[in-house]
Amino acid sequence: MTERKFRRAAARRRHTPAPRQRAVSAQARGPLSSAPLLPVPRRQRPLGPMSRRALRRLRGEQRGQEPLGPDALQFVLRDDDDAEEEGPKRGPGGRRPRDAGKEGVRVNNRFELIDVEDLEEGPVVNGERPDCLLADTVVSGSKRRSQSGSAATKKDGEVAGGAAPPEQSNASGKLRKKKKKQKNKKNTAEASENGLEDIDRILERIEDGSGSRPLGPPPLSSKKHVLYVEHRHLNPDTELKRYFGARAVLGEQRPRQRQRVYPKCTWLTTPKSTWPRYTKPGLSMRLLQSRKGLSCFAFEHNEEYQQAQLRFLSAVESMEPNNIVVLLQTSPYHVDSLLQLSDACRFQEDQEMARDLVERALYSMECAFHPLFSLTSGTCRLDYRRPENRSFYLALYKQMSFLEKRGCPRTALEYCKLILSLEPDEDPLCVLLLIDHLALRARDYEYLIRLFQEWEAHRNLSQLPNFAFSVPLAYFLLSQQADLPEQELTCAREKASLLLRQALTMFPGVLMPLLGYCSVRPDATVTCHHFFGPEAEISQPPALSQLVSLYLGRSHFLWKEPATISWLEETVREVLQAVDAGDPAVEACESRRKVLYQRAPRNIHRHVILSEIKEAVAALPPDVSSQPVLGFDPLPPVDTIYSYVRPERLSPVSHGNTIALFFRSLLPNYTMEGERPEDGGAEGLDHQQGLNRLMLAVRDMMANFHFHDLEAPREDHAEGDGEWD
């Protein structure tokens, strides 16, 4: 473009109205500047009147120098891709010719480089941004863009001819960049759509290979294991948030948790800032064996932990809780000490400290887990016969009891499932006597019904009074829900009545005590009938009486609802009609009671002791109630598997020497035959050394005797004259 044509185009643009825009006039720019007139972006402040000094700086002129030639202060901004496409073609003097490539942004004022990003979005024409300024033909298979066939947009009825004006070159570069961005976005979207289509094809192949899926609920085998534990339900805060909201539960806990860093994240407990700094106490876990999809694990004590365990046993024998406190100062994460001290705090009605100690014990044991040990799978086993594993059982049970008292039955149910999954066949703590109660309190009726349906065949759960009455109650409460179809409600009500009739026929001695707990006065026809009268409660075996007392002492309040009492009354009348009609099931149940409930196993006695229900504890047999019960190991199994044995200590009762007993009572430090309290008595020393020690003890005792003369007058102060020491 010649100088004359450029001036003519600038004059036309100067007279063209452009609202909301102000540009530098062509006369102010002068004939030396051939750069295009760039529109000012909308967010840029309009330029005011410029002085001569500013115009000289804009032109690049200085006093006393020759004026610069055209295109002296032009800066061409290009992308790297555009530079590669254009190639190394340059004109004389190292500058590219104007028509060699019109890609890029020509800038006359270097301060306008600040708003290059705004320029890339497109110029503003009459307050609007045009969607397209030029139509370019894109040649496939090559990055080079053809400039032939490109036409400038018509402005005021004029068509640009010959070489394109600078405004068109700027718009061309910006349009190409915009098209590149749109093309990249389009390619990305197409790739993602292709990926989704591939995933859909894979899923269709899997469905075609496995066959059509039947309608309705999934089969029982496809569900999760009945003892599957969910991590989120192990945290009581999850249940409390549902009741009271997250702000009320976690209002002050978040800043406190950031004060101290703990070695790992745990599921059972949340570490507290008030706890001592965690150091490995010497507790670990190892994998014993894996077979048939089950993995057997066991806790282990190293030598340091064994010494702490021996000191703990000595502290328990001393019957002094302060000795356990001293032990915890040196071993703050010794599990048995924490559990025993928790019981002492609970007896002193310090429930908060007792719960905190149990949580610390759980944290110590969880930090010792094997990498393959899983809390949720239901396939990991811990043998209760090993003393090292019992601490974990007891800690879980105590935590479950605290959660139930705290008002978190759903979390307590999850802990109960975890305890049962560790050894479901033996059930050392007999949590089957408790899991139905927690399911009813948590209103998880479907889980209780499912557990009963799956385990009834091989565990005979209907022979336990708690399941015999809790399952029909779950069906009845399920039939009271309004969000179920009418047909399902009717079926649940009929199933509940059927199971309750069977329970009352099998355990008639439950009715009268249950009505007494609910403060309900029964009808005369019920009290006078021989089937539900006092004879039914007296004639049942002692083991059955213990189970009934345990169930009623724990779950009697679940039957106090008026609707439940009315349903119970109707079912009792139906049972009485069947008894009067001579139903053969009545005699079969009576003979079964006499055979099945001769004596309760040891795990039931252990559960009764841990439950601390007065009615059930009072029903314990004399041989169990007369035994000393230790809080850290109640009623240990007879076939215990010891990994290390405590050294035998010679107790004073074992010696029949009266003189030795006498001197031991006088001198607590006296030992006989080389016995030392710290190592439990060393063997191999002869009797001569024992006699020498005895003689030295007698000499010390005689030297400390002082005899007073009885005939000497006593110097007693008169009453009231003396002073208090």
Side-chain angles (χ1 to χ4, degrees):
M1 179 183 291
T2 62
E3 184 79 10
R4 185 176 180 182
K5 290 182 179 181
F6 173 74
R7 291 182 178 179
R8 189 178 301 172
R12 285 197 303 268
R13 184 170 294 277
R14 184 174 64 251
H15 295 289
T16 301
R20 301 179 63 181
Q21 296 187 28
R22 296 185 63 183
V24 182
S25 61
Q27 295 178 0
R29 296 174 62 90
L32 298 179
S33 177
S34 61
L37 293 173
L38 297 178
V40 181
R42 283 187 291 180
R43 65 183 183 183
Q44 183 176 353
R45 297 181 60 182
L47 297 176
M50 302 180 67
S51 62
R52 293 182 180 180
R53 185 178 181 183
L55 289 176
R56 280 199 306 269
R57 290 183 178 179
L58 181 63
R59 297 171 186 172
E61 298 177 356
Q62 292 183 3
R63 293 182 179 179
Q65 294 183 359
E66 296 291 334
L68 297 177
D71 300 338
L73 294 178
Q74 290 185 0
F75 301 91
V76 180
L77 302 180
R78 296 172 298 153
D79 293 340
D80 295 340
D81 297 340
D82 298 337
E84 293 177 0
E85 294 174 4
E86 292 169 0
K89 294 182 179 181
R90 295 184 179 273
R95 291 192 301 268
R96 292 176 52 202
R98 295 181 184 178
D99 54 350
K102 299 180 181 179
E103 300 175 2
V105 180
R106 294 180 178 272
V107 181
N108 186 38
N109 185 1
R110 65 181 65 190
F111 294 100
E112 293 178 357
L113 295 174
I114 301 175
D115 297 321
V116 170
E117 295 180 357
D118 297 333
L119 297 177
E120 292 179 357
E121 297 177 1
V124 180
V125 179
N126 295 332
E128 298 179 356
R129 295 182 184 273
D131 295 335
C132 181
L133 298 177
L134 296 174
D136 296 337
T137 303
V138 181
V139 181
S140 60
S142 174
K143 294 183 179 180
R144 186 173 182 178
R145 301 180 183 274
S146 174
Q147 297 179 358
S148 60
S150 62
T153 56
K154 296 182 180 181
K155 186 75 173 182
D156 297 332
E158 295 180 5
V159 180
E167 295 91 319
Q168 295 180 359
S169 63
N170 296 338
S172 175
K174 286 173 278 187
L175 182 61
R176 289 192 182 97
K177 293 179 182 178
K178 188 174 182 180
K179 285 188 175 182
K180 283 183 180 180
K181 293 180 181 179
Q182 293 178 354
K183 186 176 180 181
N184 294 335
K185 292 181 181 179
K186 186 176 181 181
N187 294 337
T188 305
E190 291 177 356
S192 62
E193 292 177 359
N194 295 334
L196 293 176
E197 292 176 357
D198 295 339
I199 295 174
D200 294 336
R201 291 197 206 99
I202 294 172
L203 293 177
E204 290 176 358
R205 293 174 188 172
I206 294 175
E207 291 180 358
D208 295 340
S210 59
S212 61
R213 181 177 178 180
L215 299 176
L220 197 63
S221 58
S222 63
K223 296 181 180 179
K224 295 180 180 179
H225 194 267
V226 70
L227 298 180
Y228 178 80
V229 179
E230 297 184 20
H231 277 146
R232 62 188 182 95
H233 289 308
L234 290 174
N235 188 2
D237 292 340
T238 304
E239 188 171 2
L240 293 176
K241 288 177 190 176
R242 190 174 57 192
Y243 297 152
F244 308 107
R247 183 174 300 178
V249 176
L250 301 178
E252 299 180 358
Q253 293 184 11
R254 293 176 181 173
R256 291 182 181 177
Q257 292 178 0
R258 298 176 183 175
Q259 294 178 1
R260 180 169 294 180
V261 179
Y262 288 87
K264 62 181 296 186
C265 178
T266 55
W267 293 105
L268 296 177
T269 56
T270 302
K272 299 180 181 179
S273 59
T274 57
W275 290 357
R277 183 174 296 276
Y278 178 78
T279 56
K280 293 184 178 180
L283 187 65
S284 61
M285 179 184 284
R286 66 186 178 96
L287 177 62
L288 298 179
Q289 60 179 356
S290 298
R291 60 179 181 180
K292 298 181 180 180
L294 301 178
S295 302
C296 298
F297 295 87
F299 283 97
E300 283 187 335
H301 299 169
N302 64 0
E303 187 174 354
E304 180 183 357
Y305 197 93
Q306 292 179 12
Q307 296 299 325
Q309 187 73 13
L310 296 179
R311 293 196 302 270
F312 163 73
L313 296 176
S314 301
V316 171
E317 290 179 355
S318 66
M319 304 296 292
E320 180 60 39
N322 293 329
N323 295 337
I324 302 178
V325 175
V326 174
L327 176 60
L328 286 176
Q329 292 178 356
T330 57
S331 302
Y333 286 93
H334 185 259
V335 178
D336 287 341
S337 300
L338 293 170
L339 297 179
Q340 189 70 21
L341 189 60
S342 173
D343 290 340
C345 294
R346 186 166 51 86
F347 293 150
Q348 297 177 2
E349 299 182 356
D350 191 355
Q351 300 293 333
E352 188 67 23
M353 178 59 69
R355 182 164 57 90
D356 186 79
L357 293 173
V358 172
E359 291 180 357
R360 200 199 304 181
L362 282 174
Y363 178 76
S364 177
M365 302 198 78
E366 189 172 1
C367 290
F369 280 174
H370 192 274
L372 299 179
F373 185 81
S374 174
L375 295 172
T376 60
S377 63
T379 58
C380 297
R381 300 290 183 263
L382 285 176
D383 194 352
Y384 191 79
R385 295 176 299 174
R386 297 180 178 272
E388 297 85 355
N389 296 340
R390 296 173 197 167
S391 302
F392 188 56
Y393 279 92
L394 296 175
L396 290 176
Y397 189 93
K398 293 178 186 295
Q399 178 71 357
M400 177 186 62
S401 301
F402 283 122
L403 290 172
E404 182 187 2
K405 296 177 182 178
R406 192 182 176 185
C408 302
R410 184 64 183 86
T411 311
L413 175 62
E414 214 68 19
Y415 272 83
C416 190
K417 290 160 57 177
L418 175 57
I419 297 173
L420 187 58
S421 67
L422 295 178
E423 199 169 357
D425 296 332
E426 299 297 332
D427 193 9
L429 299 185
C430 204
V431 292
L432 281 176
L433 300 177
L434 176 63
I435 192 171
D436 61 303
H437 170 75
L438 296 176
L440 290 176
R441 285 201 59 189
R443 299 181 181 180
D444 196 353
Y445 311 128
E446 293 84 358
Y447 175 76
L448 178 58
I449 294 173
R450 180 192 172 193
L451 178 64
F452 179 78
Q453 292 175 351
E454 293 187 14
W455 283 27
E456 169 63 18
H458 65 282
R459 298 296 293 269
N460 293 327
L461 297 181
S462 60
Q463 305 304 315
L464 296 174
N466 59 311
F467 269 93
F469 284 88
S470 295
V471 174
L473 182 59
Y475 273 109
F476 176 76
L477 295 176
L478 196 62
S479 67
Q480 300 296 313
Q481 298 181 358
D483 55 345
L484 295 178
E486 186 66 26
Q487 184 178 1
E488 294 185 8
L489 296 178
T490 305
C491 294
R493 180 64 180 267
E494 294 177 355
K495 186 69 173 178
S497 300
L498 175 62
L499 293 177
L500 185 58
R501 286 196 299 268
Q502 296 177 0
L504 289 172
T505 305
M506 184 65 188
F507 308 104
V510 177
L511 179 62
M512 299 304 295
L514 178 59
L515 295 178
Y517 277 110
C518 297
S519 302
V520 175
R521 186 175 181 180
D523 193 2
T525 57
V526 178
T527 56
C528 297
H529 202 282
H530 68 280
F531 190 73
F532 290 116
E535 297 180 359
E537 187 177 357
I538 297 174
S539 61
Q540 61 187 4
L544 181 58
S545 300
Q546 185 177 2
L547 294 176
V548 171
S549 302
L550 185 66
Y551 171 69
L552 294 178
R554 176 179 286 155
S555 305
H556 63 86
F557 63 91
L558 299 174
W559 294 82
K560 288 187 176 183
E561 295 294 330
T564 307
I565 292 295
S566 301
W567 167 62
L568 177 61
E569 182 182 359
E570 296 175 1
T571 310
V572 167
R573 291 178 180 176
E574 296 176 1
V575 173
L576 288 179
Q577 294 177 1
V579 171
D580 295 338
D583 191 354
V586 178
E587 296 182 359
C589 291
E590 183 177 359
S591 60
R592 201 182 306 161
R593 285 196 303 270
K594 295 179 180 179
V595 175
L596 295 179
Y597 305 99
Q598 295 295 329
R599 180 177 175 82
R602 196 173 181 85
N603 60 341
I604 293 182
H605 295 159
R606 190 180 298 118
H607 177 84
V608 170
I609 293 174
L610 290 174
S611 66
E612 298 180 356
I613 296 177
K614 297 179 181 179
E615 296 82 2
V617 174
L620 286 173
D623 57 339
V624 177
S625 58
S626 60
Q627 295 181 9
V629 178
L630 301 176
F632 66 94
D633 191 8
L635 295 181
V638 181
D639 53 347
T640 301
I641 302 175
Y642 292 101
S643 58
Y644 63 95
V645 182
R646 180 188 180 188
E648 297 182 0
R649 302 185 62 183
L650 297 177
S651 61
V653 182
S654 61
H655 298 286
N657 193 345
T658 307
I659 300 176
L661 295 177
F662 172 71
F663 284 110
R664 187 183 292 272
S665 63
L666 294 177
L667 304 173
N669 295 330
Y670 168 75
T671 56
M672 187 176 178
E673 296 183 359
E675 177 189 354
R676 291 189 301 172
E678 59 272 12
D679 57 1
E683 298 180 357
L685 298 180
D686 53 2
H687 296 281
Q688 186 65 31
Q689 294 181 358
L691 292 176
N692 293 336
R693 295 174 62 86
L694 178 59
M695 294 300 297
L696 292 176
V698 171
R699 288 176 183 175
D700 293 339
M701 183 183 65
M702 297 299 293
N704 293 329
F705 281 171
H706 298 281
F707 298 95
H708 298 280
D709 190 1
L710 298 178
E711 297 180 356
R714 297 179 61 184
E715 298 180 357
D716 296 338
H717 295 282
E719 185 175 358
D721 295 338
E723 297 180 355
W724 292 96
D725 294 336

